[in-house]
Amino acid sequence: GAPEAKIFEVRRKKVKGVVEPVFDSISSKGVMTLVPATTGAKVADVAFCGEADNLKLHHVSLGIVGCDDGSVEVWDLDVDYRVGADPRYLASIRLFGGDGEGGVGGVA
């Protein structure tokens, strides 16, 4: 796994005659970075949740990070990254680990 996950902005543009904006480009620099809250854990996978209709995602609000230590973390991505706001760690659960035990953690 990687020590962090960089998130990039997908830019869309309006095109004459097309109702919804279409893909334009991807930002050249990451707009957010997710670093596992558990010391020493590495990112194994990332999934996104948000508002969608007709199977089209319009707004991403949560990032789900699977880590190599068996933990799954939930991050609030609904932040103003354009002014430098960082994603906010919400909670985690250890599904499995070296000790064979699971557990739940988080912040209010």
Side-chain angles (χ1 to χ4, degrees):
E4 63 187 24
K6 291 205 179 284
I7 300 173
F8 295 81
E9 178 182 23
V10 175
R11 297 182 181 129
R12 299 171 189 258
K13 65 180 178 181
K14 294 212 177 232
V15 175
K16 186 175 181 180
V18 178
V19 175
E20 295 186 31
V22 297
F23 174 80
D24 182 38
S25 64
I26 296 176
S27 59
S28 60
K29 292 184 177 182
V31 295
M32 291 184 205
T33 302
L34 300 177
V35 178
T38 305
T39 304
K42 293 187 177 180
V43 175
D45 204 355
V46 178
F48 300 98
C49 299
E51 298 172 21
D53 59 31
N54 297 325
L55 300 177
K56 293 180 182 176
L57 191 61
H58 295 287
H59 178 79
V60 173
S61 55
L62 293 175
I64 312 299
V65 178
C67 300
D68 65 351
D69 68 348
S71 62
V72 177
E73 300 180 354
V74 181
W75 291 80
D76 179 4
L77 304 181
D78 196 10
V79 297
D80 194 355
Y81 62 86
R82 290 185 177 108
V83 297
D86 291 323
R88 191 168 65 96
Y89 169 78
L90 296 176
S92 67
I93 185 167
R94 173 74 59 95
L95 299 177
F96 61 88
D99 58 7
E101 298 292 324
V104 179
V107 293

Coordinates of all heavy atoms in Angstrom, one line a residue:
G1 N 0.8 -1.2 0.0 CA 0.0 0.0 0.0 C 0.9 1.3 0.0 O 2.1 1.2 0.2
A2 N 0.2 2.4 -0.2 CA 0.9 3.7 -0.2 C 0.7 4.4 1.1 O -0.3 4.1 1.8 CB 0.3 4.5 -1.4
P3 N 1.6 5.2 1.5 CA 1.4 6.0 2.8 C 0.3 7.0 2.8 O -0.1 7.4 3.8 CB 2.8 6.6 3.0 CG 3.4 6.7 1.6 CD 2.9 5.6 0.8
E4 N -0.2 7.4 1.6 CA -1.3 8.3 1.5 C -2.0 8.2 0.2 O -1.5 7.5 -0.8 CB -0.7 9.8 1.6 CG 0.3 10.1 0.5 CD 1.0 11.4 0.7 OE1 1.1 11.9 1.8 OE2 1.4 12.0 -0.4
A5 N -3.2 8.8 0.1 CA -3.9 8.8 -1.2 C -4.1 10.3 -1.6 O -4.7 11.0 -0.8 CB -5.2 8.1 -1.0
K6 N -3.7 10.6 -2.8 CA -3.9 12.0 -3.3 C -5.2 12.0 -4.1 O -5.5 11.1 -4.9 CB -2.8 12.4 -4.1 CG -1.5 12.7 -3.3 CD -0.6 13.7 -4.0 CE 0.6 13.9 -3.2 NZ 0.4 14.8 -2.1
I7 N -6.0 13.0 -3.9 CA -7.3 13.2 -4.6 C -7.2 14.4 -5.5 O -6.7 15.4 -5.1 CB -8.5 13.4 -3.6 CG1 -8.6 12.1 -2.7 CG2 -9.8 13.6 -4.4 CD1 -9.5 12.3 -1.6
F8 N -7.6 14.2 -6.8 CA -7.5 15.2 -7.8 C -8.9 15.7 -8.2 O -9.9 14.9 -8.0 CB -6.8 14.7 -9.0 CG -5.4 14.3 -8.8 CD1 -5.0 13.1 -8.2 CD2 -4.3 15.2 -9.1 CE1 -3.7 12.8 -7.9 CE2 -3.0 14.9 -8.9 CZ -2.7 13.7 -8.3
E9 N -9.0 16.9 -8.6 CA -10.3 17.5 -9.0 C -10.5 17.1 -10.5 O -9.7 17.3 -11.4 CB -10.3 19.0 -8.9 CG -11.5 19.7 -9.3 CD -11.5 21.2 -9.2 OE1 -10.4 21.8 -9.3 OE2 -12.6 21.8 -9.2
V10 N -11.8 16.6 -10.8 CA -12.2 16.4 -12.1 C -12.9 17.6 -12.6 O -13.9 18.0 -11.9 CB -13.1 15.2 -12.2 CG1 -13.7 15.0 -13.6 CG2 -12.3 13.9 -11.8
R11 N -12.5 18.3 -13.6 CA -13.1 19.5 -14.1 C -14.0 19.2 -15.2 O -13.7 18.4 -16.1 CB -12.0 20.5 -14.5 CG -11.1 20.9 -13.4 CD -10.1 21.9 -13.8 NE -9.2 22.3 -12.7 CZ -7.9 22.2 -12.8 NH1 -7.3 21.9 -13.9 NH2 -7.2 22.6 -11.8
R12 N -15.2 19.9 -15.2 CA -16.2 19.7 -16.2 C -16.5 21.1 -16.9 O -16.3 22.1 -16.3 CB -17.5 19.1 -15.7 CG -17.2 17.8 -15.0 CD -18.5 17.3 -14.3 NE -18.2 16.2 -13.5 CZ -18.6 14.9 -13.8 NH1 -19.2 14.8 -14.9 NH2 -18.3 13.9 -13.0
K13 N -17.0 21.0 -18.1 CA -17.3 22.3 -18.8 C -18.7 22.1 -19.5 O -19.1 21.0 -19.8 CB -16.3 22.7 -19.8 CG -16.1 21.7 -20.9 CD -15.0 22.1 -21.9 CE -14.9 21.1 -23.0 NZ -13.8 21.5 -23.9
K14 N -19.3 23.2 -19.6 CA -20.6 23.2 -20.4 C -20.3 23.2 -21.9 O -19.4 23.9 -22.3 CB -21.5 24.4 -20.0 CG -21.9 24.4 -18.5 CD -23.2 25.0 -18.4 CE -23.6 24.9 -16.9 NZ -25.0 24.3 -16.8
V15 N -21.1 22.4 -22.6 CA -20.9 22.4 -24.0 C -22.3 22.7 -24.6 O -23.3 22.2 -24.2 CB -20.5 21.0 -24.5 CG1 -20.5 20.8 -26.0 CG2 -19.1 20.6 -23.9
K16 N -22.3 23.6 -25.7 CA -23.5 24.0 -26.3 C -24.3 22.8 -26.8 O -23.7 21.9 -27.5 CB -23.2 25.0 -27.4 CG -24.4 25.6 -28.1 CD -24.0 26.6 -29.1 CE -25.3 27.2 -29.7 NZ -24.9 28.2 -30.7
G17 N -25.5 22.7 -26.5 CA -26.4 21.6 -27.0 C -26.4 20.4 -26.1 O -27.1 19.4 -26.3
V18 N -25.5 20.4 -25.0 CA -25.5 19.3 -24.1 C -26.0 19.8 -22.8 O -25.6 20.8 -22.3 CB -24.0 18.7 -23.9 CG1 -24.0 17.6 -22.9 CG2 -23.5 18.3 -25.3
V19 N -27.0 19.0 -22.2 CA -27.6 19.4 -21.0 C -26.7 19.5 -19.8 O -26.6 20.4 -19.0 CB -28.8 18.5 -20.6 CG1 -29.5 18.9 -19.3 CG2 -29.9 18.6 -21.7
E20 N -25.9 18.4 -19.6 CA -25.0 18.3 -18.4 C -23.6 18.6 -18.8 O -23.2 18.4 -19.9 CB -25.1 16.9 -17.8 CG -26.4 16.6 -17.3 CD -26.4 15.2 -16.6 OE1 -25.4 14.8 -16.0 OE2 -27.5 14.6 -16.6
P21 N -22.8 19.2 -17.9 CA -21.4 19.4 -18.2 C -20.7 18.1 -18.5 O -21.0 17.1 -18.0 CB -20.8 20.0 -16.9 CG -22.0 20.5 -16.1 CD -23.2 19.6 -16.5
V22 N -19.6 18.2 -19.4 CA -18.9 17.1 -19.8 C -17.4 17.2 -19.3 O -17.0 18.3 -18.9 CB -18.9 16.9 -21.3 CG1 -20.3 16.7 -21.9 CG2 -18.2 18.2 -22.0
F23 N -16.8 16.0 -19.2 CA -15.4 16.0 -18.8 C -14.5 17.0 -19.5 O -14.6 17.1 -20.7 CB -14.8 14.6 -18.9 CG -13.3 14.5 -18.6 CD1 -12.9 14.4 -17.3 CD2 -12.4 14.5 -19.6 CE1 -11.6 14.3 -17.0 CE2 -11.1 14.5 -19.3 CZ -10.6 14.4 -18.0
D24 N -13.7 17.7 -18.8 CA -12.7 18.7 -19.4 C -11.3 18.3 -19.1 O -10.5 18.1 -20.0 CB -13.0 20.1 -18.9 CG -12.1 21.1 -19.6 OD1 -11.8 21.0 -20.8 OD2 -11.7 22.1 -18.8
S25 N -11.0 18.1 -17.8 CA -9.6 17.8 -17.5 C -9.5 17.4 -16.0 O -10.5 17.4 -15.3 CB -8.7 19.0 -17.7 OG -9.1 20.1 -16.8
I26 N -8.3 16.9 -15.6 CA -8.1 16.6 -14.2 C -7.0 17.5 -13.7 O -6.0 17.8 -14.4 CB -7.6 15.1 -14.1 CG1 -8.7 14.2 -14.5 CG2 -7.2 14.8 -12.7 CD1 -8.4 12.7 -14.6
S27 N -7.2 18.0 -12.5 CA -6.2 19.0 -11.9 C -4.8 18.3 -12.0 O -4.6 17.1 -11.8 CB -6.6 19.4 -10.5 OG -6.6 18.2 -9.7
S28 N -3.8 19.2 -12.2 CA -2.4 18.7 -12.3 C -1.8 18.4 -10.9 O -0.9 17.6 -10.8 CB -1.5 19.6 -13.1 OG -1.5 20.9 -12.4
K29 N -2.4 19.0 -9.9 CA -1.9 18.8 -8.5 C -3.1 18.3 -7.7 O -4.2 18.6 -7.9 CB -1.5 20.1 -7.9 CG -0.2 20.7 -8.5 CD 0.2 22.0 -7.7 CE 1.5 22.5 -8.2 NZ 1.9 23.7 -7.5
G30 N -2.7 17.4 -6.7 CA -3.8 16.9 -5.8 C -4.4 18.0 -5.0 O -3.7 19.0 -4.6
V31 N -5.7 17.9 -4.8 CA -6.4 18.9 -4.1 C -6.6 18.5 -2.6 O -6.9 19.4 -1.8 CB -7.8 19.3 -4.7 CG1 -7.5 20.0 -6.1 CG2 -8.7 18.1 -4.8
M32 N -6.5 17.2 -2.3 CA -6.6 16.7 -1.0 C -5.7 15.5 -0.8 O -5.4 14.8 -1.8 CB -8.0 16.2 -0.7 CG -9.1 17.2 -0.6 SD -10.6 16.4 -0.1 CE -11.8 17.6 -0.8
T33 N -5.3 15.2 0.4 CA -4.5 14.1 0.7 C -5.1 13.3 1.9 O -5.4 14.0 2.9 CB -3.0 14.4 1.0 OG1 -2.5 15.2 -0.1 CG2 -2.2 13.2 1.2
L34 N -5.3 12.0 1.8 CA -5.8 11.2 2.9 C -4.6 10.4 3.4 O -4.0 9.6 2.7 CB -6.9 10.3 2.4 CG -8.2 11.0 1.8 CD1 -9.2 10.0 1.3 CD2 -8.8 11.9 2.9
V35 N -4.3 10.6 4.7 CA -3.2 9.9 5.3 C -3.9 9.1 6.4 O -4.6 9.6 7.3 CB -2.2 10.8 5.9 CG1 -1.1 10.0 6.7 CG2 -1.6 11.7 4.8
P36 N -3.7 7.7 6.4 CA -4.4 6.9 7.5 C -4.2 7.5 8.9 O -3.0 7.9 9.2 CB -3.8 5.6 7.3 CG -3.4 5.5 5.9 CD -2.9 6.9 5.5
A37 N -5.2 7.5 9.7 CA -5.1 8.0 11.0 C -4.3 7.1 11.9 O -3.8 7.5 13.0 CB -6.6 8.2 11.6
T38 N -4.3 5.8 11.6 CA -3.6 4.8 12.4 C -2.1 4.9 12.0 O -1.7 4.8 10.8 CB -4.1 3.4 12.1 OG1 -5.5 3.3 12.3 CG2 -3.3 2.4 13.0
T39 N -1.2 5.1 13.0 CA 0.2 5.2 12.8 C 0.7 4.0 12.1 O 0.5 2.9 12.5 CB 1.0 5.5 14.1 OG1 0.4 6.6 14.7 CG2 2.4 5.7 13.9
G40 N 1.5 4.2 11.0 CA 2.1 3.1 10.3 C 1.2 2.4 9.3 O 1.7 1.6 8.5
A41 N -0.1 2.6 9.3 CA -1.0 2.0 8.3 C -0.8 2.6 6.9 O -0.4 3.8 6.8 CB -2.4 2.2 8.7
K42 N -1.0 1.8 5.9 CA -0.9 2.3 4.5 C -2.2 2.1 3.8 O -3.0 1.2 4.1 CB 0.3 1.5 3.8 CG 1.6 1.9 4.4 CD 2.7 1.2 3.6 CE 4.0 1.7 4.2 NZ 5.2 1.1 3.4
V43 N -2.4 3.0 2.8 CA -3.7 3.0 2.0 C -3.6 1.8 1.1 O -2.7 1.6 0.3 CB -3.8 4.3 1.2 CG1 -5.1 4.2 0.4 CG2 -3.9 5.5 2.2
A44 N -4.6 0.9 1.2 CA -4.8 -0.2 0.3 C -5.8 0.1 -0.8 O -5.6 -0.3 -2.0 CB -5.2 -1.5 1.0
D45 N -6.9 0.9 -0.5 CA -7.9 1.2 -1.5 C -8.7 2.4 -1.0 O -8.7 2.7 0.2 CB -8.8 0.0 -1.6 CG -9.6 -0.1 -2.9 OD1 -9.5 0.9 -3.7 OD2 -10.3 -1.0 -3.2
V46 N -9.3 3.1 -1.9 CA -10.2 4.2 -1.6 C -11.5 4.1 -2.4 O -11.4 3.7 -3.6 CB -9.5 5.6 -2.0 CG1 -10.4 6.8 -1.7 CG2 -8.1 5.7 -1.3
A47 N -12.6 4.4 -1.8 CA -13.9 4.5 -2.4 C -14.5 5.8 -2.1 O -14.2 6.4 -1.0 CB -14.8 3.3 -2.0
F48 N -15.5 6.3 -2.9 CA -16.1 7.6 -2.7 C -17.6 7.4 -2.6 O -18.2 6.5 -3.3 CB -15.8 8.5 -3.8 CG -14.3 8.8 -3.9 CD1 -13.5 8.1 -4.8 CD2 -13.7 9.7 -3.1 CE1 -12.2 8.3 -4.9 CE2 -12.3 9.9 -3.1 CZ -11.6 9.2 -4.1
C49 N -18.3 8.2 -1.8 CA -19.7 8.2 -1.7 C -20.2 9.6 -1.8 O -19.5 10.6 -1.5 CB -20.2 7.7 -0.3 SG -19.7 6.0 0.1
G50 N -21.4 9.8 -2.4 CA -21.9 11.1 -2.5 C -23.3 11.1 -3.1 O -24.0 10.1 -3.1
E51 N -23.7 12.2 -3.7 CA -25.1 12.4 -4.3 C -25.0 11.9 -5.7 O -24.1 12.3 -6.5 CB -25.5 13.8 -4.2 CG -25.6 14.3 -2.8 CD -25.9 15.8 -2.7 OE1 -26.4 16.4 -3.7 OE2 -25.6 16.4 -1.7
A52 N -26.0 11.1 -6.1 CA -26.0 10.7 -7.5 C -27.5 10.5 -7.9 O -28.4 10.3 -7.1 CB -25.3 9.3 -7.6
D53 N -27.7 10.6 -9.2 CA -28.9 10.2 -9.8 C -28.6 9.6 -11.2 O -27.6 9.9 -11.9 CB -29.9 11.4 -9.9 CG -29.4 12.5 -10.8 OD1 -28.7 12.3 -11.7 OD2 -29.8 13.7 -10.5
N54 N -29.4 8.6 -11.6 CA -29.2 7.9 -12.9 C -27.8 7.4 -13.0 O -27.1 7.4 -14.0 CB -29.5 8.8 -14.1 CG -31.0 9.2 -14.1 OD1 -31.8 8.4 -13.7 ND2 -31.2 10.4 -14.6
L55 N -27.2 6.9 -11.8 CA -25.9 6.3 -11.8 C -24.8 7.3 -12.1 O -23.6 6.9 -12.4 CB -25.8 5.1 -12.7 CG -26.7 4.0 -12.3 CD1 -26.6 2.8 -13.3 CD2 -26.5 3.5 -10.9
K56 N -25.1 8.6 -12.0 CA -24.0 9.7 -12.2 C -23.8 10.4 -10.9 O -24.7 10.9 -10.3 CB -24.5 10.7 -13.3 CG -24.6 10.1 -14.7 CD -25.0 11.1 -15.7 CE -25.2 10.5 -17.0 NZ -25.7 11.4 -18.0
L57 N -22.5 10.3 -10.5 CA -22.1 11.0 -9.2 C -22.0 12.5 -9.4 O -21.2 12.9 -10.3 CB -20.8 10.4 -8.7 CG -20.4 10.7 -7.3 CD1 -21.4 10.2 -6.3 CD2 -19.0 10.0 -7.0
H58 N -22.7 13.3 -8.7 CA -22.6 14.7 -8.8 C -21.8 15.4 -7.8 O -21.2 16.5 -8.0 CB -24.0 15.3 -8.8 CG -24.9 14.9 -9.9 ND1 -24.7 15.3 -11.2 CD2 -25.9 14.0 -10.0 CE1 -25.6 14.7 -12.0 NE2 -26.3 13.9 -11.3
H59 N -21.8 14.9 -6.6 CA -21.1 15.5 -5.5 C -20.5 14.4 -4.6 O -21.3 13.6 -4.1 CB -22.1 16.4 -4.7 CG -21.4 17.1 -3.6 ND1 -20.7 18.2 -3.7 CD2 -21.5 16.8 -2.2 CE1 -20.2 18.6 -2.5 NE2 -20.7 17.7 -1.6
V60 N -19.2 14.5 -4.4 CA -18.6 13.5 -3.5 C -18.5 14.1 -2.1 O -18.1 15.2 -1.9 CB -17.2 13.2 -3.9 CG1 -16.5 12.3 -2.9 CG2 -17.2 12.5 -5.3
S61 N -19.0 13.4 -1.1 CA -19.0 13.9 0.3 C -18.2 13.1 1.3 O -17.7 13.6 2.3 CB -20.4 14.1 0.8 OG -21.1 12.9 0.7
L62 N -18.0 11.8 1.0 CA -17.3 10.9 1.9 C -16.2 10.1 1.1 O -16.4 9.7 0.0 CB -18.2 9.9 2.6 CG -19.2 10.4 3.5 CD1 -20.1 9.3 4.0 CD2 -18.5 11.1 4.7
G63 N -15.1 9.9 1.8 CA -14.0 9.0 1.3 C -13.9 7.9 2.2 O -13.9 8.1 3.5
I64 N -13.9 6.7 1.7 CA -13.7 5.5 2.5 C -12.3 4.9 2.2 O -12.0 4.6 1.0 CB -14.8 4.4 2.2 CG1 -16.2 5.0 2.2 CG2 -14.7 3.2 3.2 CD1 -16.6 5.7 3.5
V65 N -11.5 4.8 3.2 CA -10.1 4.3 3.0 C -9.9 3.0 3.6 O -10.1 2.8 4.9 CB -9.1 5.3 3.6 CG1 -7.7 4.8 3.4 CG2 -9.3 6.7 2.9
G66 N -9.5 2.0 2.8 CA -9.2 0.7 3.3 C -7.7 0.6 3.6 O -6.9 1.0 2.7
C67 N -7.2 0.2 4.7 CA -5.8 0.2 5.1 C -5.3 -1.2 5.2 O -6.0 -2.2 5.4 CB -5.6 1.0 6.4 SG -6.1 2.7 6.3
D68 N -4.0 -1.3 5.0 CA -3.3 -2.6 5.0 C -3.3 -3.3 6.4 O -3.0 -4.5 6.5 CB -1.9 -2.6 4.4 CG -1.0 -1.7 5.2 OD1 -1.4 -1.0 6.2 OD2 0.2 -1.7 4.9
D69 N -3.6 -2.5 7.4 CA -3.6 -3.1 8.8 C -5.0 -3.7 9.2 O -5.2 -4.0 10.3 CB -3.2 -2.0 9.8 CG -4.2 -0.9 10.0 OD1 -5.1 -0.8 9.2 OD2 -4.0 -0.1 10.9
G70 N -5.9 -3.7 8.2 CA -7.3 -4.2 8.5 C -8.3 -3.2 8.9 O -9.4 -3.5 9.2
S71 N -7.9 -1.9 8.9 CA -8.8 -0.9 9.3 C -9.5 -0.2 8.1 O -8.9 -0.2 7.0 CB -8.1 0.2 10.2 OG -7.1 0.8 9.4
V72 N -10.7 0.3 8.3 CA -11.4 1.0 7.3 C -11.7 2.4 7.9 O -12.3 2.5 9.0 CB -12.7 0.3 6.9 CG1 -13.5 1.2 5.9 CG2 -12.4 -1.0 6.3
E73 N -11.4 3.5 7.3 CA -11.6 4.8 7.8 C -12.6 5.6 6.9 O -12.7 5.4 5.7 CB -10.3 5.6 7.8 CG -9.2 4.9 8.7 CD -7.9 5.7 8.7 OE1 -7.7 6.7 7.9 OE2 -7.0 5.3 9.4
V74 N -13.4 6.5 7.6 CA -14.3 7.3 6.9 C -13.9 8.7 7.0 O -13.6 9.2 8.1 CB -15.7 7.2 7.5 CG1 -16.7 8.0 6.8 CG2 -16.2 5.7 7.5
W75 N -13.8 9.5 5.9 CA -13.3 10.8 5.9 C -14.4 11.7 5.3 O -15.1 11.4 4.3 CB -12.1 10.9 5.0 CG -10.9 10.3 5.6 CD1 -10.6 9.0 5.6 CD2 -9.8 10.9 6.3 NE1 -9.4 8.7 6.3 CE2 -8.9 9.9 6.7 CE3 -9.6 12.3 6.6 CZ2 -7.8 10.2 7.4 CZ3 -8.4 12.6 7.3 CH2 -7.5 11.6 7.7
D76 N -14.6 12.9 5.8 CA -15.5 13.9 5.3 C -14.7 14.7 4.2 O -13.7 15.4 4.5 CB -15.9 14.9 6.4 CG -16.8 16.0 6.0 OD1 -17.2 16.0 4.8 OD2 -17.2 16.9 6.8
L77 N -15.2 14.6 3.0 CA -14.5 15.3 1.9 C -15.3 16.6 1.5 O -14.8 17.2 0.6 CB -14.4 14.4 0.7 CG -13.6 13.0 0.9 CD1 -13.6 12.3 -0.4 CD2 -12.3 13.3 1.5
D78 N -16.4 16.8 2.1 CA -17.2 18.0 1.8 C -16.6 19.2 2.5 O -17.2 19.8 3.4 CB -18.6 17.8 2.3 CG -19.6 18.7 1.6 OD1 -19.2 19.5 0.7 OD2 -20.8 18.8 2.0
V79 N -15.4 19.6 2.0 CA -14.7 20.8 2.6 C -14.3 21.7 1.4 O -14.3 21.3 0.3 CB -13.4 20.3 3.3 CG1 -13.8 19.5 4.5 CG2 -12.4 19.6 2.4
D80 N -14.0 22.9 1.8 CA -13.6 23.9 0.7 C -12.1 23.8 0.4 O -11.3 24.6 0.9 CB -14.0 25.3 1.2 CG -14.0 26.3 0.0 OD1 -13.6 25.9 -1.1 OD2 -14.4 27.5 0.3
Y81 N -11.8 22.8 -0.4 CA -10.4 22.5 -0.7 C -9.7 23.7 -1.5 O -8.5 23.8 -1.4 CB -10.2 21.2 -1.4 CG -10.9 21.1 -2.7 CD1 -10.3 21.6 -3.9 CD2 -12.2 20.6 -2.8 CE1 -11.0 21.6 -5.1 CE2 -12.9 20.6 -4.0 CZ -12.3 21.1 -5.2 OH -12.9 21.0 -6.4
R82 N -10.5 24.5 -2.1 CA -10.0 25.6 -2.9 C -9.3 26.6 -2.1 O -8.5 27.4 -2.5 CB -11.1 26.2 -3.8 CG -11.5 25.3 -4.9 CD -12.5 25.9 -5.8 NE -12.8 25.0 -6.9 CZ -14.0 24.4 -7.1 NH1 -14.9 24.6 -6.2 NH2 -14.2 23.6 -8.1
V83 N -9.7 26.7 -0.8 CA -9.0 27.6 0.2 C -8.1 26.9 1.1 O -7.7 27.4 2.2 CB -10.0 28.5 0.9 CG1 -10.8 29.3 0.0 CG2 -11.0 27.6 1.8
G84 N -7.8 25.6 0.8 CA -6.8 24.9 1.6 C -7.4 24.0 2.7 O -6.6 23.5 3.5
A85 N -8.7 23.9 2.8 CA -9.3 23.1 3.9 C -8.9 21.6 3.7 O -9.0 21.1 2.5 CB -10.8 23.3 3.9
D86 N -8.6 20.9 4.7 CA -8.3 19.5 4.7 C -9.5 18.6 4.9 O -10.4 19.0 5.6 CB -7.2 19.2 5.7 CG -5.9 19.8 5.4 OD1 -5.5 19.9 4.2 OD2 -5.2 20.2 6.4
P87 N -9.5 17.4 4.4 CA -10.5 16.5 4.7 C -10.5 16.2 6.2 O -9.5 16.3 6.8 CB -10.2 15.3 3.9 CG -8.8 15.4 3.5 CD -8.5 16.8 3.5
R88 N -11.7 15.8 6.7 CA -11.8 15.6 8.2 C -12.0 14.1 8.5 O -13.0 13.5 7.9 CB -12.9 16.4 8.7 CG -13.0 16.5 10.3 CD -13.9 17.6 10.7 NE -15.3 17.3 10.4 CZ -16.2 16.7 11.2 NH1 -15.8 16.4 12.4 NH2 -17.4 16.5 10.8
Y89 N -11.2 13.5 9.3 CA -11.3 12.2 9.7 C -12.6 12.0 10.6 O -12.8 12.8 11.5 CB -10.1 11.7 10.5 CG -10.2 10.4 11.3 CD1 -10.1 9.2 10.6 CD2 -10.4 10.4 12.6 CE1 -10.2 8.0 11.3 CE2 -10.5 9.2 13.3 CZ -10.4 8.0 12.6 OH -10.5 6.8 13.3
L90 N -13.4 11.1 10.3 CA -14.7 10.9 11.1 C -14.7 9.7 12.0 O -15.0 9.8 13.1 CB -15.9 10.8 10.1 CG -16.2 12.0 9.2 CD1 -17.3 11.7 8.3 CD2 -16.5 13.2 10.1
A91 N -14.3 8.5 11.4 CA -14.3 7.3 12.2 C -13.5 6.2 11.5 O -13.2 6.3 10.4 CB -15.8 6.9 12.4
S92 N -13.3 5.2 12.3 CA -12.6 4.0 11.7 C -13.1 2.7 12.4 O -13.7 2.8 13.5 CB -11.1 4.1 11.9 OG -10.7 4.0 13.2
I93 N -12.9 1.6 11.8 CA -13.2 0.3 12.4 C -12.1 -0.6 12.0 O -11.7 -0.6 10.8 CB -14.6 -0.2 12.0 CG1 -14.9 -1.5 12.7 CG2 -14.7 -0.4 10.5 CD1 -16.4 -1.9 12.6
R94 N -11.7 -1.4 12.9 CA -10.6 -2.4 12.6 C -11.4 -3.7 12.3 O -12.0 -4.3 13.2 CB -9.7 -2.6 13.8 CG -8.7 -3.7 13.7 CD -7.5 -3.4 12.7 NE -6.8 -2.3 13.0 CZ -5.6 -2.3 13.7 NH1 -5.1 -3.4 14.2 NH2 -5.0 -1.1 13.8
L95 N -11.4 -4.2 11.0 CA -12.1 -5.4 10.7 C -11.3 -6.6 11.0 O -11.8 -7.7 11.4 CB -12.4 -5.4 9.2 CG -13.3 -4.2 8.7 CD1 -13.5 -4.2 7.2 CD2 -14.7 -4.3 9.5
F96 N -10.0 -6.5 10.9 CA -9.1 -7.6 11.3 C -7.7 -7.0 11.5 O -7.4 -5.9 11.1 CB -9.0 -8.7 10.2 CG -8.5 -8.2 8.9 CD1 -7.1 -8.1 8.6 CD2 -9.4 -7.7 7.9 CE1 -6.7 -7.7 7.4 CE2 -8.9 -7.2 6.7 CZ -7.5 -7.2 6.4
G97 N -6.8 -7.7 12.2 CA -5.5 -7.1 12.4 C -4.6 -8.2 12.9 O -5.0 -9.4 13.1
G98 N -3.4 -7.9 13.2 CA -2.4 -8.8 13.7 C -2.8 -9.5 15.0 O -2.4 -10.7 15.2
D99 N -3.6 -8.9 15.8 CA -4.0 -9.5 17.1 C -5.3 -10.3 17.0 O -5.7 -10.8 18.0 CB -4.1 -8.4 18.1 CG -5.1 -7.3 17.8 OD1 -5.8 -7.5 16.7 OD2 -5.3 -6.3 18.5
G100 N -5.9 -10.3 15.8 CA -7.1 -11.0 15.6 C -8.3 -10.3 16.2 O -9.4 -10.9 16.1
E101 N -8.2 -9.2 16.7 CA -9.3 -8.4 17.3 C -9.7 -7.3 16.4 O -9.0 -6.8 15.6 CB -8.8 -7.8 18.7 CG -8.4 -8.8 19.7 CD -9.6 -9.7 20.2 OE1 -10.7 -9.1 20.3 OE2 -9.4 -10.9 20.4
G102 N -11.0 -6.9 16.5 CA -11.5 -5.8 15.8 C -11.9 -4.7 16.8 O -11.8 -4.9 18.0
G103 N -12.3 -3.5 16.3 CA -12.6 -2.4 17.2 C -13.2 -1.3 16.5 O -13.0 -1.2 15.2
V104 N -13.7 -0.3 17.1 CA -14.3 0.9 16.5 C -13.7 2.1 17.2 O -13.5 2.2 18.4 CB -15.9 0.9 16.7 CG1 -16.4 2.2 16.1 CG2 -16.5 -0.3 16.1
G105 N -13.4 3.1 16.4 CA -12.9 4.4 16.9 C -13.5 5.5 16.1 O -14.0 5.3 15.0
G106 N -13.3 6.8 16.6 CA -13.8 7.9 15.8 C -13.8 9.2 16.7 O -13.3 9.2 17.8
V107 N -14.2 10.2 16.0 CA -14.3 11.6 16.6 C -15.7 12.1 16.5 O -16.4 11.7 15.6 CB -13.3 12.5 16.0 CG1 -11.9 12.1 16.2 CG2 -13.5 12.7 14.5
A108 N -16.1 13.0 17.4 CA -17.4 13.5 17.3 C -17.4 14.8 16.5 O -16.5 15.4 16.2 CB -17.9 13.9 18.7

